[in-house]
Amino acid sequence: QVQLVESGGGLVQPGGSLRLSCAASGRIFSINAMAWYRQAPGKERELVAVITNGGIGNYADSVKDRFTISRDNAKNTVYLQMDSLKPEDTAVYYCNANLRPTGAYSAREYWGKGTLVTVSS
């Protein structure tokens, strides 16, 4: 059974930093892109950042130059370093991975359960 488990959310003041982690576990043959999404109260889920298995990242305009996505392929883990946080970054952050389980014919999307980030003074 493949699982994605996020950690690192919490309460932070505006201008502060947080680092989110997401570890994929289970019988995994390969992982393609990994990503972070977020969903604020009353809003739709949106893509925050995505990283290829080669380490190339892309960002939403709203977080560019403030957030950094990275991954450790040996640990099947993706990170999101969030700096200069703003109240509008408050949301539940979800990890996403396009991965192929061992024994499967193809890859599909997997999601974590989310971790809450609150930016408030």
Side-chain angles (χ1 to χ4, degrees), residues 7-13 15-21 36 66-68 79-86 89-91 93 115-120:
S7 61
L11 173 64
V12 63
Q13 292 187 342
S17 298
L18 279 177
R19 188 191 195 211
L20 305 183
S21 301
W36 289 96
R66 298 190 297 122
F67 290 9
T68 303
Y79 306 95
L80 186 69
Q81 177 66 41
M82 305 185 293
D83 299 319
S84 303
L85 282 161
K86 304 176 181 179
D89 294 318
T90 295
Y93 284 71
T115 185
L116 177 63
V117 172
T118 303
V119 185
S120 175

Side-chain angles (χ1 to χ4, degrees), residues 2-120:
V2 173
Q3 281 188 315
L4 300 182
V5 178
E6 303 100 335
S7 61
L11 173 64
V12 63
Q13 292 187 342
S17 298
L18 279 177
R19 188 191 195 211
L20 305 183
S21 301
C22 171
S25 62
R27 300 181 69 229
I28 298 171
F29 179 79
S30 62
I31 303 178
N32 300 315
M34 303 183 81
W36 289 96
Y37 286 74
R38 68 185 181 187
Q39 187 166 19
K43 295 189 176 181
E44 294 189 352
R45 191 173 298 189
E46 63 174 355
L47 177 65
V48 175
V50 59
I51 187 167
T52 66
N53 56 7
I56 298 174
N58 281 287
Y59 301 89
D61 288 342
S62 59
V63 306
K64 205 169 290 184
D65 299 325
R66 298 190 297 122
F67 290 9
T68 303
I69 190 169
S70 61
R71 64 190 284 173
D72 184 334
N73 290 334
K75 296 181 178 179
N76 290 338
T77 299
V78 62
Y79 306 95
L80 186 69
Q81 177 66 41
M82 305 185 293
D83 299 319
S84 303
L85 282 161
K86 304 176 181 179
E88 50 264 44
D89 294 318
T90 295
V92 177
Y93 284 71
Y94 296 91
C95 176
N96 167 275
N98 181 273
L99 67 82
R100 180 181 171 187
T102 301
Y105 287 106
S106 61
R108 71 171 183 89
E109 303 295 318
Y110 286 82
W111 292 89
K113 294 183 178 180
T115 185
L116 177 63
V117 172
T118 303
V119 185
S120 175

